[in-house]
Amino acid sequence: MVRFVLNGSDHETEVVSPSVSMLEYIRCELGLTGTKEGCAEGDCGACTIVRVVDGVFEAVNACLMQVGQADGSEIITVEGLEKINGGALVPVQSAMASGGGTQCGFCTPGFIGALFALEQSEEKISDDAIHDALAGNLCRCTGYRPIVDAARDACKKFVEYKPRPPKARESLHKNDAGVFHAPETLSELVTLRNELPEAMLLSGGTDLGLSISKGRHQPKTVIHTAHVKELQEIVETDDAIVFGAAVSYTRALPYLDSLFPSFAETIRRIGSRQIRNLGTLGGNIGTASPIGDTLPSFIALDAALTLASTSEERELDIEQFFLDYRRTDLRPSEVIRSIRIPKLTDNQIFRSYKVSKRYDQDISSVIGAFRLTLDRAVVTDARIAFGGMAATPKRGAAMETVLVGQKWSERAVFNAAAAAHKEYQPISDHRATSKYRSMVAANLVTRLYRDVEGVETNLNVMKI
Ligand SMILES: Cc1cc2nc3c(=O)[nH]c(=O)nc-3n(C[C@H](O)[C@H](O)[C@H](O)COP(=O)(O)OP(=O)(O)OC[C@H]3O[C@@H](n4cnc5c(N)ncnc54)[C@H](O)[C@@H]3O)c2cc1C
Ligand code: FES
Ligand code: FES
């Protein structure tokens, strides 16, 4: 039985089939049709609901979530807001109505969900925060100015809502249509993995949810990693930070902000806030996409994975994990336990750059990451990795060779940029041509110098 608080009341259900999304469940089974379906793939935000876990309010895409993922949490849909506010509209709703923030209304419940989560968070409300919170919500008729105005207005009038204490979670949900395992320890997780190698290993579901909502993959059995305490750990030592595989982007961000700000900036451009609340570091690694946004940074930062099974734990340089297009070194009985990233030393520089057609909510055409070690202005070590340039995220060995031993100068960087052209043979697809990708990769090497040396400040068109 899956138990959660729904719009302020206890709720339980036996619907655990992985093929029924949370969106389908609340609309079709419960008749809560305020939440809409637009794209069913995490792009439009029409399905945004609020999930409260351990007192933290997060906007999430119901179209990507399985019902089992709600176990032990509180779910708030647009229908619940009035109810939990003693029968009155919450300020976000009033401001959208009175400020002309809605026309046909199709997108409005999603905007309300995203803004209610923002208003209830501890985040300082600023225009940047509002834009970030709304980047995953599309409106085709109103235009965004009145919506942003309504957000500014509403977020000044905070309504305190105390979430209900969570229901106890269960580690097994089962009915005729499917089985949803939610283990709580690593030992339980690897035992299940060993016994059920065909089961879907589900973390945040932002990749897997898509294959289910589009009917490509209908697994009967799911093993959900989100409640495994070892996979949720974040451990910082003097020389490294270790993230459990099930740590979401949102939880990782404050740590990355302080240790690798450029990496954090790249992560802020992964999907939308709804996606980053669900999506995890381990899921990005497990997907092994050649354009996974974290992967070049992990490689350039010399990160190592810990892979766990019932028989052993092994460490592997993340670079060696990616064998071929979406093929990895993960054995059928293994799970990714954690990723360890060495901290930068005083003489190291790190940058990552994502290039995509749109700034927000877009997949990379090319992504480059660079870690350089300098000793008295000479490059003594270079780790460069690119995504979007090969079948896997890939080291730029020729560029590194050109740079190492050279004085850190524009000339050295131009030589490395020339090597980028020879190093990769990228493909052309609907995101970018091969020629464009090669040119961008070379330009990013030049950009590194101009950025680090402050030669040019106008590097990011969004920040003009
Ligand atoms: C609208 C939208 C926008 C997106 N934008 C971006 C983007 O800009 N950049 C980007 O890189 N990605 C993007 N993604 C893809 C996705 O959000 C990320 O890849 C995310 O990190 C996946 O994490 P998850 O927890 O949701 O993974 P899941 O979907 O749960 O799992 C993904 C894969 O990883 C495996 N896996 C998960 N955990 C483990 C583990 N512990 N051990 C072994 N295997 C595991 C799963 O079995 C599955 O094969 C986007 C997705 C959507 C829907
Ligand atoms: S329906 Fe578009 S994001 Fe879920
Ligand atoms: S009001 Fe019509 S889509 Fe936003």
Side-chain angles (χ1 to χ4, degrees):
M1 191 74 77
V2 178
R3 294 190 179 85
F4 52 95
V5 175
L6 176 65
N7 293 333
S9 304
D10 290 341
H11 184 79
E12 55 182 44
T13 175
E14 286 186 340
V15 173
V16 296
S17 165
S19 58
V20 180
S21 71
M22 190 69 187
L23 180 61
E24 203 178 337
Y25 177 67
I26 55 179
R27 283 180 58 83
C28 305
E29 301 264 342
L30 305 182
L32 296 173
T33 51
T35 308
K36 305 295 184 219
E37 176 173 291
C39 62
E41 51 186 47
D43 276 319
C44 74
C47 66
T48 303
I49 57 173
V50 180
R51 184 177 67 160
V52 192
V53 181
D54 299 332
V56 178
F57 289 70
E58 292 183 329
V60 291
N61 294 125
C63 67
L64 298 175
M65 255 179 88
Q66 295 187 21
V67 180
Q69 286 177 264
D71 194 37
S73 69
E74 173 155 2
I75 296 290
I76 304 170
T77 70
V78 71
E79 291 86 353
L81 291 174
E82 243 182 292
K83 189 174 157 206
I84 63 178
N85 193 32
L89 294 180
V90 294
V92 178
Q93 290 171 303
S94 323
M96 284 283 271
S98 61
T102 173
Q103 287 186 21
C104 81
F106 187 82
C107 68
T108 310
F111 275 97
I112 300 281
L115 287 175
F116 184 69
L118 173 68
E119 190 219 31
Q120 294 294 319
S121 71
E122 287 177 1
E123 195 169 342
K124 191 167 171 298
I125 307 294
S126 62
D127 276 6
D128 276 353
I130 291 171
H131 286 133
D132 190 55
L134 296 183
N137 293 77
L138 298 181
C139 174
R140 74 192 165 97
C141 35
T142 304
Y144 297 100
R145 192 192 44 75
I147 297 175
V148 171
D149 286 347
R152 284 192 195 110
D153 182 28
C155 288
K156 285 184 217 139
K157 304 170 193 147
F158 180 71
V159 170
E160 186 170 10
Y161 174 62
K162 288 219 179 312
R164 294 265 304 271
K167 302 264 111 192
R169 282 196 301 259
E170 284 180 17
S171 55
L172 174 64
H173 312 284
K174 197 172 177 183
N175 69 9
D176 291 344
V179 185
F180 191 96
H181 293 276
E184 305 224 333
T185 64
L186 182 62
S187 144
E188 289 165 13
L189 173 67
V190 291
T191 304
L192 283 166
R193 191 69 193 140
N194 195 41
E195 287 166 1
L196 305 166
E198 300 303 318
M200 169 186 272
L201 192 63
L202 175 81
S203 190
T206 59
D207 276 314
L208 292 173
L210 213 80
S211 57
I212 295 169
S213 74
K214 296 294 172 191
R216 288 182 212 126
H217 188 36
Q218 305 282 342
K220 280 244 172 219
T221 307
V222 171
I223 306 171
H224 187 34
T225 62
H227 305 310
V228 177
K229 67 177 183 341
E230 291 88 340
L231 268 64
Q232 287 292 357
E233 280 170 357
I234 302 176
V235 180
E236 189 172 351
T237 60
D238 285 347
D239 58 357
I241 182 144
V242 183
F243 291 106
V247 170
S248 69
Y249 293 120
T250 302
R251 275 191 67 219
L253 267 170
Y255 297 88
L256 296 173
D257 264 329
S258 75
L259 295 174
F260 316 106
S262 169
F263 190 10
E265 204 173 313
T266 302
I267 286 191
R268 280 207 173 78
R269 290 179 55 198
I270 292 186
S272 58
R273 196 171 271 208
Q274 288 90 324
I275 297 292
R276 295 191 297 276
N277 287 337
L278 285 174
T280 63
L281 301 178
N284 206 230
I285 299 165
T287 298
S289 162
I291 42 172
D293 278 337
T294 63
L295 310 181
S297 291
F298 283 142
I299 294 174
L301 286 167
D302 202 8
L305 296 174
T306 299
L307 307 173
S309 69
T310 45
S311 55
E312 63 165 346
E313 277 201 1
R314 62 180 175 122
E315 274 231 341
L316 186 71
D317 285 348
I318 191 164
E319 194 188 344
Q320 287 159 22
F321 185 68
F322 306 107
L323 301 179
D324 203 341
Y325 180 71
R326 290 189 186 258
R327 204 164 64 76
T328 70
D329 194 37
L330 191 76
R331 297 171 190 154
S333 60
E334 281 181 330
V335 299
I336 304 166
R337 175 190 174 145
S338 59
I339 176 146
R340 179 183 188 281
I341 317 173
K343 288 184 180 173
L344 296 177
T345 54
D346 290 344
N347 58 346
Q348 286 181 330
I349 294 162
F350 175 78
R351 292 289 190 281
S352 79
Y353 304 120
K354 166 170 174 165
V355 177
S356 54
K357 287 187 179 171
R358 272 188 323 221
Y359 189 82
D360 289 308
Q361 264 289 41
D362 205 0
I363 307 277
S364 297
S365 303
V366 176
I367 176 155
F370 309 83
R371 190 190 76 179
L372 300 185
T373 310
L374 301 178
D375 185 5
R376 280 163 287 178
V378 172
V379 181
T380 54
D381 184 52
R383 287 185 68 94
I384 300 177
F386 274 90
M389 298 295 289
T392 60
K394 194 164 174 275
R395 267 302 268 284
M399 284 179 273
E400 293 172 2
T401 307
V402 169
L403 279 175
V404 172
Q406 298 300 307
K407 191 165 175 300
W408 174 236
S409 64
E410 196 152 38
R411 177 184 290 271
V413 162
F414 282 149
N415 290 340
H421 282 293
K422 297 193 196 115
E423 179 120 49
Y424 298 106
Q425 287 79 46
I427 57 162
S428 294
D429 63 14
H430 59 283
R431 288 199 184 92
T433 62
S434 165
K435 197 171 163 195
Y436 173 83
R437 286 194 155 103
S438 292
M439 198 177 287
V440 167
N443 288 349
L444 290 184
V445 186
T446 316
R447 174 180 172 156
L448 172 72
Y449 182 83
R450 301 182 82 76
D451 180 5
V452 169
E453 293 305 311
V455 177
E456 203 174 309
T457 49
N458 214 0
L459 289 164
N460 190 340
V461 286
M462 295 302 290
K463 295 275 168 67
I464 287 176

